[in-house]
């Protein structure tokens, strides 16, 4: 686990060294840079596998032709190493870095077909004057890049990009629009102008004198699964989860698990127990607001599994004291990430690697909005589609318009549906409230551009459509990006066995009936899972539940699916109140017009604004100030 950086097309080793220094938290154990004249590569290393100096980077091929920097963990490296050794390849280390380097030497750009894990790496070919960069299938490890006037700059974090001095500290209009609408920024856009995020499952090739060429190498494809029955699917899912967890337990440093008490994290711990893991350290974070404290479920699961459990209770004092470092850690604005920041901080005191159940909801259909889209009545599709062209007129109707809009959601396509769920600020508000220079963006059009369309006529079911959107955007652009950033702020590596890409391909292609309960109706969905349905009676994530029911606590089937919630409202109106009021006020004349800013502030102080809309503004302002971002 590392942070990687590079500059190609310019002689500026000093800039590279500044980039590596800015990522020290990602790799406090070692660092290295290589000066190739017109190409520079660097890394900051957090040692996980092969702690010796043999794993040092940048790494060179035996003949010196290839130079590589790499961030991540490739779980298929042992089997690929055996194949290479059988062909006569010799290794000087036990690291996965060296295996990937030799795979590139043999297969060039096709080497990604032999990699399974989380990774972002770059290889420079001195002979061909070519740079090859790739990012893992689901986008667990980040890779940012900028190309301007023949110079390519890339890095694991925005902090490194900005430290280079080769990227202007200027806010991206598109990134700002996406953030204010959704609370996160979908790739390829970022919060900084002229900086892109390489999409998951994509590679980038650059040759001297040419512009970068970006290509996809993987996507979830429609490929019917040969499962003879639901029971066969349950057995296959169980074995694939066990295989993924087993691979991801490989580590030369202490390892633990995030345990919330929900199904996904409990399955990860249950799989570890089934594999015979002798000692398991589990970690959970609870809050002083008792009604939101989930640590009781976590403690019950920990007791059942016999883990060495660590429980941390957090209040507004801890959050207030950690706020500035959280902004440093998040790397780009996001409305999410604080929960992972807090549990990572507690976890790092004991281990260097943590497993997470993230991805279970997206893949096994654990969100109410997925079920709603799957179950949406035809009338809602028709009426929503008819209302779509008149969105502005509906909005102008005020409170009546809100009721109309809420009653008839546009279920006609995932593209229309997905751009409106989790919406923070509307297009109408942004058009009327942003500074004139920032408002020249088609906000709704930008969302449609970044959200892909998966037509039914191509064989996708509605459930597959919305699950794929969640894997790509809600999970990939928000949850995974945030998790990597804030965990690495504490020099903690987090692994995600439930999104092994083989498991993703298999489950996504299973029949819908295997993943949803036929009795789950819209009335129950509108009330919310946590209020009405247990795992057993509701059938939420039933495939995963059935695969590991024998490992779970006896009463687990009585628990209900709950999201991880924090007492933001209490914190923001408590010790964080001054920071919230000041943060919103400072956006006046910078992001919003003075009049709009005052309205936002009044709405927050009077209780008319939900916490997440205010939190998004506070995080944005603090991030811009900390990183000296100009508008």
């Amino acid at each position: 686990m590392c942070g990687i950086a590079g500059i190609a097309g310019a002689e500026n080793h000093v800039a590279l060294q500044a980039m590596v220094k800015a990522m020290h938290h990602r790799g406090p154990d070692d660092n290295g840079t290589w000066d190739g004249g017109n190409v520079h590569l660097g890394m900051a290393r957090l040692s996980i596998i092969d702690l010796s100096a043999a794993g040092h980077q940048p790494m060179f091929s035996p003949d010196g032709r290839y130079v590589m920097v790499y961030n991540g963990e490739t779980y298929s490296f042992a089997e690929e190493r055996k194949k290479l050794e059988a062909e006569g390849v010799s290794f000087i280390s036990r690291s996965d870095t060296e295996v990937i380097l030799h795979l590139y030497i043999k297969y060039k750009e096709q080497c990604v077909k032999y990699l399974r894990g989380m990774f972002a790496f770059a290889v420079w070919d001195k002979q061909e004057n070519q740079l090859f960069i790739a990012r893992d299938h689901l986008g667990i490890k980040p890779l940012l890049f900028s190309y301007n006037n023949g110079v390519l700059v890339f890095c694991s974090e925005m902090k490194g990009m900005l430290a280079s001095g080769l990227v202007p500290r200027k806010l991206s209009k598109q990134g700002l629009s996406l953030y204010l609408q959704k609370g996160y920024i979908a790739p390829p856009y970022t919060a900084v102008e002229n900086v892109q995020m390489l999409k998951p499952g994509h590679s980038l090739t650059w040759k001297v004198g040419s512009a970068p060429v970006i290509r996809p190498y993987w996507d979830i494809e429609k490929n019917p699964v040969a499962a003879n029955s639901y029971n066969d699917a349950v057995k296959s899912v169980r074995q694939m989860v066990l295989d993924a967890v087993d691979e991801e337990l490989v580590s030369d440093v202490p390892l633990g698990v995030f345990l919330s008490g929900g199904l996904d994290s409990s399955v990860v711990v249950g799989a570890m127990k089934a594999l015979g893991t002798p000692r398991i350290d589990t970690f959970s974070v609870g809050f002083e607001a008792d009604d939101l404290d989930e640590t009781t479920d976590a403690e019950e699961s920990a007791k059942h599994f016999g883990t060495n459990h660590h429980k941390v209770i957090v209040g507004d004092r801890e959050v207030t004291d950690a706020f500035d470092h959280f902004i440093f850690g998040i790397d780009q604005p996001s409305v999410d990430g604080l929960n992972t920041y807090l549990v990572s901080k507690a976890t790092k005191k004991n281990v260097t690697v943590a497993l997470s159940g993230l991805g279970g909801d997206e893949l096994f259909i654990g969100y109410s909005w997925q079920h709603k889209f799957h179950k949406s009545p035809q009338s809602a599709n028709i009426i929503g589609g008819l209302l779509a062209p008149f969105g502005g007129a509906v909005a102008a109707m005020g409170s009546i318009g809100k009721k109309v809009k809420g009653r008839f959601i546009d279920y006609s396509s995932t593209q229309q549906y997905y751009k409106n769920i989790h919406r923070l600020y509307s297009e109408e508000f942004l058009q009327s409230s942003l500074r004139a220079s920032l408002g020249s963006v088609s906000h709704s059009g930008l969302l449609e551009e970044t959200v892909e369309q998966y037509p039914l006529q191509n064989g996708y079911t509605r459930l597959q459509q919305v699950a794929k959107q969640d894997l790509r955007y809600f999970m990939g652009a928000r949850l995974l990006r945030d998790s990597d950033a804030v965990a690495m702020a504490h020099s903690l590596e987090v692994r995600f066995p439930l999104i092994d890409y083989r498991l993703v391909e298999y489950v996504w292609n299973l029949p819908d009936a295997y993943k949803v309960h036929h009795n789950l109706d819209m009335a129950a969905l509108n009330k919310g899972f946590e209020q009405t349905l247990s795992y057993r009676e509701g059938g939420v994530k039933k495939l995963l539940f059935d695969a590991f029911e024998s490992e779970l606590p006896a009463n687990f089937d009585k628990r209900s699916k709950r999201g991880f919630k924090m007492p933001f409202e209490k914190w923001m109106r408590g010790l964080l109140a001054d920071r919230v009021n000041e943060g919103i006020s400072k956006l006046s004349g910078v992001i919003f017009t003075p009049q709009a800013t005052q309205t936002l502030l009044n709405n927050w102080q009077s209780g008319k604004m939900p916490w997440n809309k205010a939190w998004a503004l506070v995080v944005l302002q603090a991030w811009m100030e900390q990183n000296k971002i100009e508008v």
Side-chain angles (χ1 to χ4, degrees):
M1 185 62 64
C2 313
I4 62 173
I7 300 170
E11 297 186 16
N12 199 333
H13 197 65
V14 173
L16 178 77
Q17 290 174 324
M19 296 171 74
V20 172
K21 184 178 179 180
M23 295 189 296
H24 175 75
H25 53 282
R26 292 189 72 94
D29 298 329
D30 186 23
N31 66 78
T33 63
W34 173 71
D35 184 353
N38 203 41
V39 175
H40 310 268
L41 300 177
M43 58 77 66
R45 183 187 182 200
L46 178 66
S47 301
I48 303 294
I49 296 176
D50 190 351
L51 310 184
S52 73
H56 179 77
Q57 298 181 44
M59 186 172 283
F60 301 84
S61 61
D63 62 1
R65 172 178 169 176
Y66 302 95
V67 190
M68 175 181 172
V69 287
Y70 159 66
N71 168 30
E73 302 292 347
T74 298
Y75 308 120
S76 56
F77 84 99
E79 61 192 74
E80 296 301 332
R81 176 177 175 139
K82 288 180 181 179
K83 295 175 186 176
L84 291 167
E85 286 177 327
E87 297 172 2
V89 177
S90 297
F91 291 86
I92 62 172
S93 75
R94 295 187 298 107
S95 72
D96 50 350
T97 309
E98 190 177 7
V99 174
I100 298 173
L101 179 56
H102 281 284
L103 286 172
Y104 182 80
I105 293 171
K106 180 177 181 179
Y107 297 111
K108 298 300 186 291
E109 290 88 346
Q110 298 303 309
C111 69
V112 290
K113 295 183 178 180
Y114 302 87
L115 305 181
R116 187 171 63 253
M118 53 183 188
F119 55 80
F121 67 90
V123 182
W124 172 247
D125 183 340
K126 298 179 185 178
Q127 182 172 306
E128 295 294 331
N129 287 322
Q130 177 173 291
L131 182 70
F132 177 74
I133 300 173
R135 189 178 178 210
D136 66 69
H137 304 71
L138 275 301
I140 301 173
K141 304 315 298 178
L143 198 290
L144 300 161
F145 72 94
S146 176
Y147 183 73
N148 191 34
N149 295 325
V151 179
L152 176 68
V153 183
F154 69 88
C155 194
S156 297
E157 289 193 352
M158 187 65 76
K159 287 184 282 291
M161 296 292 290
L162 296 174
S164 72
L166 302 174
V167 175
R169 295 177 181 266
K170 187 171 179 61
L171 188 68
S172 164
K173 295 179 184 178
Q174 292 80 9
L176 174 67
S177 174
L178 289 171
Y179 174 67
L180 290 176
Q181 291 184 84
K182 302 289 281 185
Y184 62 95
I185 304 172
Y189 295 103
T190 71
V192 176
E193 191 173 288
N194 294 326
V195 177
Q196 297 184 54
M197 175 76 80
L198 186 64
K199 290 184 177 181
H202 281 64
S203 66
L204 180 155
T205 304
W206 177 82
K207 296 194 73 168
V208 174
S210 303
V213 176
I214 299 172
R215 300 184 181 92
Y217 69 82
W218 179 84
D219 197 0
I220 312 172
E221 299 293 340
K222 182 69 178 172
N223 184 24
V225 172
N228 296 322
S229 67
Y230 176 75
N231 287 336
D232 285 343
V234 169
K235 292 176 183 177
S236 294
V237 165
R238 177 181 174 82
Q239 191 58 53
M240 294 178 82
V241 170
L242 287 171
D243 290 345
V245 171
D246 192 30
E247 286 184 342
E248 299 190 23
L249 290 177
V250 176
S251 175
D252 292 336
V253 295
L255 178 148
V257 190
F258 294 161
L259 180 62
S260 68
L263 178 62
D264 304 333
S265 60
S266 294
V267 162
V268 172
V269 179
M272 292 173 69
K273 291 293 290 186
L275 291 165
T277 308
R279 174 191 167 97
I280 304 175
D281 283 278
T282 53
F283 302 86
S284 66
V285 171
F287 310 106
E288 290 177 350
D290 294 334
D291 58 325
L292 295 178
D293 189 357
E294 291 187 338
T295 55
T296 300
D297 284 349
E299 287 176 313
E300 287 181 3
S301 291
K303 183 178 180 180
H304 169 77
F305 293 122
T307 71
N308 181 31
H309 190 62
H310 308 261
K311 171 183 174 181
V312 177
I313 298 297
V314 176
D316 55 358
R317 170 50 61 192
E318 288 82 2
V319 174
T320 302
D321 292 345
F323 182 82
D324 288 332
H325 188 254
F326 165 69
I327 296 300
F328 168 86
I330 200 68
D331 198 51
Q332 292 190 68
S334 174
V335 76
D336 213 333
L338 184 59
N339 54 341
T340 306
Y341 174 92
L342 294 170
V343 73
S344 296
K345 182 179 180 180
T347 301
K348 178 59 181 179
K349 295 176 182 178
N350 297 273
V351 301
T352 306
V353 177
L355 269 61
S356 167
L358 191 153
D361 283 320
E362 290 78 8
L363 183 59
F364 291 97
I365 316 301
Y367 294 130
S368 60
W369 61 79
Q370 296 170 323
H371 290 266
K372 285 181 180 179
F373 187 72
H374 172 64
K375 294 275 189 178
S376 58
Q378 186 63 24
S379 59
N381 298 339
I382 295 172
I383 298 174
L386 291 173
L387 286 175
F390 307 102
V394 171
M397 295 165 64
S399 60
I400 297 176
K402 289 181 181 178
K403 290 180 180 179
V404 171
K405 217 170 183 181
R407 177 66 183 85
F408 299 115
I409 298 172
D410 188 352
Y411 291 95
S412 58
S413 72
T414 43
Q415 194 173 51
Q416 293 302 318
Y417 177 67
Y418 207 80
K419 76 175 186 179
N420 286 307
I421 58 174
H422 318 127
R423 195 72 170 262
L424 289 180
Y425 292 96
S426 68
E427 178 178 23
E428 294 80 15
F429 173 80
L430 296 181
Q431 286 176 337
S432 64
S433 303
L434 288 174
R435 278 182 54 197
S437 60
L438 295 173
S440 57
V441 174
S442 173
H443 304 288
S444 183
L446 187 61
L447 275 184
E448 290 187 10
E449 174 195 331
T450 55
V451 177
E452 297 178 53
Q453 180 67 288
Y454 308 115
L456 284 169
Q457 56 264 37
N458 288 359
Y460 294 99
T461 69
R462 289 173 68 81
L463 201 61
Q464 285 177 317
Q465 286 180 319
V466 74
K468 193 170 183 180
Q469 298 285 21
D470 276 326
L471 288 163
R472 269 283 184 254
Y473 299 100
F474 188 73
M475 183 190 76
R478 175 170 165 171
L479 302 183
L480 285 178
R481 194 213 70 82
D482 293 354
S483 294
D484 174 83
V486 297
M488 290 307 297
H490 298 292
S491 303
L492 178 76
E493 172 179 299
V494 184
R495 301 175 179 178
F496 308 94
L498 296 186
I499 52 171
D500 179 297
Y501 83 86
R502 300 167 301 175
L503 179 64
V504 170
E505 288 176 338
Y506 179 79
V507 173
W508 187 81
N509 274 293
L510 285 172
D512 289 353
Y514 288 10
K515 290 175 274 188
V516 296
H517 199 295
H518 66 281
N519 289 329
L520 197 59
D521 60 19
M522 288 294 281
L525 290 169
N526 287 330
K527 292 180 181 177
F529 290 147
E530 66 277 4
Q531 297 176 5
T532 58
L533 301 168
S534 67
Y535 283 115
R536 172 57 65 203
E537 66 179 352
V540 179
K541 295 189 283 192
K542 66 173 188 170
L543 191 62
L544 185 62
F545 177 85
D546 289 345
F548 283 89
E549 184 177 10
S550 60
E551 264 73 47
L552 298 172
N555 64 343
F556 202 95
D557 62 336
K558 302 295 193 298
R559 296 185 191 178
S560 61
K561 152 70 181 169
R562 291 191 293 171
F564 189 84
K565 297 179 180 178
M566 296 185 292
F568 274 100
E569 187 88 20
K570 176 186 175 183
W571 294 340
M572 294 169 67
R573 297 193 185 280
L575 292 181
L576 278 171
D578 289 344
R579 188 181 284 272
V580 174
N581 294 331
E582 180 183 349
I584 296 175
S585 298
K586 284 184 175 180
L587 294 175
S588 178
V590 178
I591 299 297
F592 300 110
T593 64
Q595 181 180 359
T597 306
Q598 189 60 52
T599 299
L600 289 167
L601 192 59
N602 292 341
N603 286 344
W604 167 249
Q605 292 174 342
S606 65
K608 296 179 181 178
M609 178 190 290
W611 71 264
N612 58 339
K613 295 179 77 169
W615 181 252
L617 302 183
V618 176
V619 170
L620 172 65
Q621 186 280 323
W623 177 83
M624 289 178 62
E625 185 175 276
Q626 194 175 102
N627 290 280
K628 299 179 175 61
I629 302 296
E630 299 178 352
V631 178

